[in-house]
Structure formats: C-alpha cells, structure tokens
Amino acid sequence: MDSLSGLVAFVRAAETRSFVTAARALGVSASAVGKSVAKLEENLGVRLFHRSTRQINLTEEGAIFFERCRNALQEIQDAEAELSKATVAPRGRLRVSMPAIGYRLLLPVIPRFRSLYPEVELDLDFSDRLVDVIEEGFDVVIRGGEPADSRLKAKRLGPYRFVVCASPEYFARHGVPQHASELANHVCLRFKYRSSGKLQEWIVDGESPLLGAGVATPLILNNAEAVLSAAIQGLGIAYMPDFVARDALTEGRLRLALESSRTVEGVFRALWPTNRHMLPRLRVFVDFLAEQLGGN
C-alpha cells in the first residue's frame, strides 16, 4: 500500500477497532492492513494502537493522529465528490445514526432508495445513545426534537405523534378509557429511559395522568420493542410513537384509545456537519427521506 492507502487503512481500523473489519471494508486482507499500520508506525516513530488478541485500541498519540487523518481524508473525499458530482451518480459509503426504534421508520423505504441509488453504501447505526456526529465521523443523524448543536445543519423529514393503544383483548377485559384521567385506573406499560433511568411521561390533553399519588406502575420496560410486544400480548395500555404502532394497528393486533385527544407531537430531522460539503450521496439520501416521510 502507498502512503495514502496506509492512512486510509489506519483510519478505517481506528473507526472499527478491528483490522479484520477494516480489511473487509477496504477489500484487502487483514494482514495487509496490519502491515500497513505497522509501516506507518515505523515511519512516524510512534505506536498508534494498543493490540490484544481480541481488539485494538488507539494510543494517546494514535487518537490525536486519527482526528487529523480522518478530517484530511474527509476533505479529499469531499473534493473528489465535488469534481465528479455533475457527471457521476451518487456513490460511496454513508454513515447514518438514528434511535434504535427508528428502524421501523427507515427500513420500509430503504429498498426503494437502494433501487434508485445502488452505488450508495449505507452503514446504519441504530442506537439510543446520543452520538457526537462530528467526533464519531457520522455523515448524518436522524433525531426527533429541536436541533441543539450549532455545528449541524438540519432538514425536516417528517412528523410523528404519540398514540394510546392496547390489544382488543385488553380493552375487552378492562374497558376502553374515555378520558385521560381514567388511565390511572388501567395497567399502563411504562417506558424507562436507559440514559437517565426516568420513566417516560404520558401527556394527554395537556395532562400527565400517571403522575398522581398512588398510581401503580406494574410493568416497566426500557426497550420500545418490548413495550410494543407487551401491548400486543394484552399486558396493558401503551403510549408510543405512531410509526412504532402502525403495523400492529393496521393488522388489528392493537386498537387506539383517546383518538381525539392531544398527545406529544414531534418532527424527525436529518442533521449533518456544517463544515462539510453536501456530498451527492448525502444530498440524495436526505431529500429521499424528506419525500418519503412527508417532510416536503
């Protein structure tokens, strides 16, 4: 590998913490990546990685070098894309992060995107961890709520709202609540945020019906899929985003309650670094999502 290829190998290994994974992404052997990094370390006169049988981790010097190299390679990629975007179809890898449950929103539209832009490689990260877009090298993140980072540009993708729902069997046994205040007398499936340990607040018609004294919380779950599954199994009433409940509602496994009530509403947005050019692959991805999810 030449010097530039060596830097690419180092950056990919640092991103993945694995020579094997980096090699797979680059289409070369793991030994070739390892030798390239070793040659780079020899030329620099510093150790870039701590190596073990299971993983590799950046040294302090390696972490500093990684940030400079990643930014430099990004600039090169941006320059190449700018030169070719007028005549070349969007291509290359796009690193995308969004909430774990976001796969229910994103995956249904991915087949059409892949058919339109087959040369764009999607590296999708579904996690409730609030990633640092710039520091962790993501091209774009998808989040709900208002943008809070001035380093990021934003584009509206589409709205969502929370719904109150349960299985037909649950409603047959316990009745359907007609007012928000009646929810305190039902088995309510509470979602707990992993990051804070706090229970999600239910807001219905401007009220918080589950905050009163003596309101029981018989079932608490820290995973949105688990809440959905518990609701379908008739274990209680759920309060969840409409796109999470959509399939189960369409199939009749869940039914809505308090349909005319006001609940929490939000907007999904795509966010990307302001200091990067709008690469063709990023532009078509963001525009496609906005079209599919109703942002335009």
Side-chain angles (χ1 to χ4, degrees), residues 25-128:
L26 295 171
V28 298
S29 68
S31 63
V33 171
K35 290 177 182 178
S36 179
V37 171
K39 181 65 174 177
L40 189 60
E41 290 176 321
E42 180 182 345
N43 292 338
L44 294 172
V46 296
R47 193 172 185 83
L48 299 174
F49 289 110
H50 295 299
R51 296 163 171 83
S52 71
T53 56
R54 293 187 176 181
Q55 63 180 3
I56 56 174
N57 291 292
L58 287 167
T59 62
E60 183 177 351
E61 295 81 4
I64 295 172
F65 191 58
F66 169 59
E67 291 302 323
R68 293 292 187 92
C69 289
R70 182 172 62 180
N71 292 336
L73 290 177
Q74 185 65 58
E75 287 298 321
I76 292 172
Q77 292 174 359
D78 290 355
E80 290 176 342
E82 286 295 311
L83 289 174
S84 63
K85 68 180 181 181
T87 57
V88 179
R91 64 181 55 178
R93 187 173 66 146
L94 199 63
R95 295 190 68 209
V96 184
S97 175
M98 67 185 307
I101 199 64
Y103 82 90
R104 287 185 170 272
L105 189 73
L106 187 60
L107 291 188
V109 302
I110 288 300
R112 182 161 185 263
F113 179 82
R114 292 286 300 133
S115 68
L116 291 172
Y117 307 104
E119 295 183 79
V120 176
E121 303 169 10
L122 295 176
D123 183 350
L124 306 178
D125 177 82
F126 296 100
S127 172
D128 290 326

Side-chain angles (χ1 to χ4, degrees), residues 90 92-98 106-107 109-110 113-114 116-117 120-126 139-142 155-157 269-272 278-293:
R93 187 173 66 146
L94 199 63
R95 295 190 68 209
V96 184
S97 175
M98 67 185 307
L106 187 60
L107 291 188
V109 302
I110 288 300
F113 179 82
R114 292 286 300 133
L116 291 172
Y117 307 104
V120 176
E121 303 169 10
L122 295 176
D123 183 350
L124 306 178
D125 177 82
F126 296 100
D139 296 298
V140 60
V141 297
I142 299 171
K155 182 179 178 66
R156 176 190 170 100
L157 297 181
R269 290 179 173 85
L271 307 171
W272 65 94
M278 190 66 163
L279 300 176
R281 60 180 179 272
L282 176 57
R283 184 184 302 279
V284 296
F285 182 72
V286 171
D287 289 346
F288 173 83
L289 289 186
E291 176 188 352
Q292 295 295 307
L293 304 180

Side-chain angles (χ1 to χ4, degrees), residues 17-31:
R17 298 295 193 270
S18 167
F19 287 158
V20 173
T21 306
R24 189 178 301 121
L26 295 171
V28 298
S29 68
S31 63

